[in-house]
Amino acid sequence: MKRLLVLVLLLAGCSAAPDEKTEPSAETSGQETMLPAAEKADSWTADVRCTYSMLFPNESSAEYSMDGILTVQDEDSSPQAHLMQNFSADGLNSTLTGWYYDKKLYAVYNGVNYYDEMSFTDVKSLMLVPLDCGEIPASYIRDVTKESTDAGEVYTLDLTEEGAEKLFVNQYDFYGISSADRYHVNSGKIVRTYSPENYVVSEHAEFVSDVEIQGMDSEVTYDSELYYSDYGTAETGLTQAVKDMTAFYPHYSAIDTSQISDADLEADAAEGSVTDTLKKRLVGRLGYVVQDDGTYLTEYNDGESYIFDFDNSLFSYKNRTSQYAYSWKGDTGGFGSVCSYDFETGISSSTCTEETLDMIRNVRLFLEMELYYCGLSLDDLIEK
């Protein structure tokens, strides 16, 4: 849970869309190639959803998604907001709720209370979908159609490859997919609906890309939906009782176990071996507890845990009664006697299902993340 908290905070602080704004191109001429200038309101509600779906050559897949609601009041004068989000990282679920006022976000992430100073722009970036629906240069657009419906005027934009890549990188790529070793957008499509008053009612965006990460090719589909409501009338419900409750929330740095203070530098210093350094930092940084059998255990969420078994070079993820293991000595993974998988050869036992193989691959990634927070890598552990 604590590592997931760190990921959310890093995402909010480091992975927001770039400040570069797309301006209408000089090529933009004629109403048929332009979107209406959207009207703005001081208060509003945005209901959002975004999904990253990753498909690999071996037909395995992964999906990362978020859905949430942001209610905003007095944006132009003294912004306050209430937000609720649900995250799914390839099946691992998390929740975030929060109140924003006085330039601070007071949040509860998977039951952990904290606050952080941030701008209102940062709060909007937390929603992982661009909320400021601006103009799109005509040079980005291959084709545009307009349709009148009961919901309003619907504009469907088919983007050029170059336009899709620029728009995605500048406005939609909150997860930083475009920083991969190789990255190319194949297609992009925007469907935006305007009310008769020229308020944006909804927007649907889809971008399909080819990506290479650490030598592995993947087709990534980004899909997002945005629905606006309560223009000019939204109220957050921020009361004095809420302020009194959140006043006791600690600053996030007080609970972020990956951040080591100067006073802890000696206690956090590297030991004579990679294994000893890892054991030390698992306890000191990540809160693992040494069990009677010598294994290192951390429990989080409801019934989920990570286990390091150094005697057998095994890292395990346990979810209630199901336990998946990865051996860093043999670069193999398994699910009891049901399934075994060799990462080097890609060979698995005949009884493996694709779902089980996906989970075994995830466990290897979980280990790499734990090592990352301990200042180590999988190569360090293998070559110890």
Side-chain angles (χ1 to χ4, degrees), residues 53-64 89-92 216 218 315 317 323-326 333-335 338-343 346-349 351-368:
S53 301
M54 308 180 73
L55 180 64
F56 301 98
N58 61 5
E59 298 185 357
S60 65
S61 62
E63 184 173 286
Y64 304 87
D90 205 24
L92 297 178
M216 179 176 292
S218 172
F315 171 79
Y317 162 70
Q323 185 165 331
Y324 301 82
Y326 170 75
F335 179 52
V338 175
C339 176
S340 61
Y341 178 70
D342 188 312
F343 281 87
I347 297 174
S348 61
S349 55
T351 52
C352 293
T353 66
E354 197 57 43
E355 182 180 5
T356 301
L357 289 173
D358 284 343
M359 197 64 229
I360 291 172
R361 296 184 189 104
N362 285 339
V363 171
R364 190 176 190 264
L365 294 175
F366 297 161
L367 170 60
E368 290 182 295

Side-chain angles (χ1 to χ4, degrees), residues 2 10 52 70 93-94 98 137 142 150 257 273 280 311 324:
K2 295 179 180 178
L10 287 175
Y52 277 86
L70 177 67
N93 300 316
S94 305
R142 176 183 289 111
D150 292 341
T257 56
S273 70
K280 182 178 184 179
D311 290 340
Y324 301 82

Side-chain angles (χ1 to χ4, degrees), residues 311-341:
D311 290 340
N312 295 296
S313 302
L314 288 176
F315 171 79
S316 299
Y317 162 70
K318 187 175 182 179
N319 188 342
R320 300 186 186 279
T321 59
S322 298
Q323 185 165 331
Y324 301 82
Y326 170 75
S327 167
W328 61 80
K329 183 176 182 180
D331 197 21
T332 57
F335 179 52
S337 60
V338 175
C339 176
S340 61
Y341 178 70

Side-chain angles (χ1 to χ4, degrees), residues 223-241:
D223 189 274
S224 69
E225 293 181 1
L226 163 66
Y227 299 93
Y228 271 113
S229 61
D230 304 327
Y231 277 115
T233 62
E235 296 182 357
T236 63
L238 180 63
T239 64
Q240 188 59 48

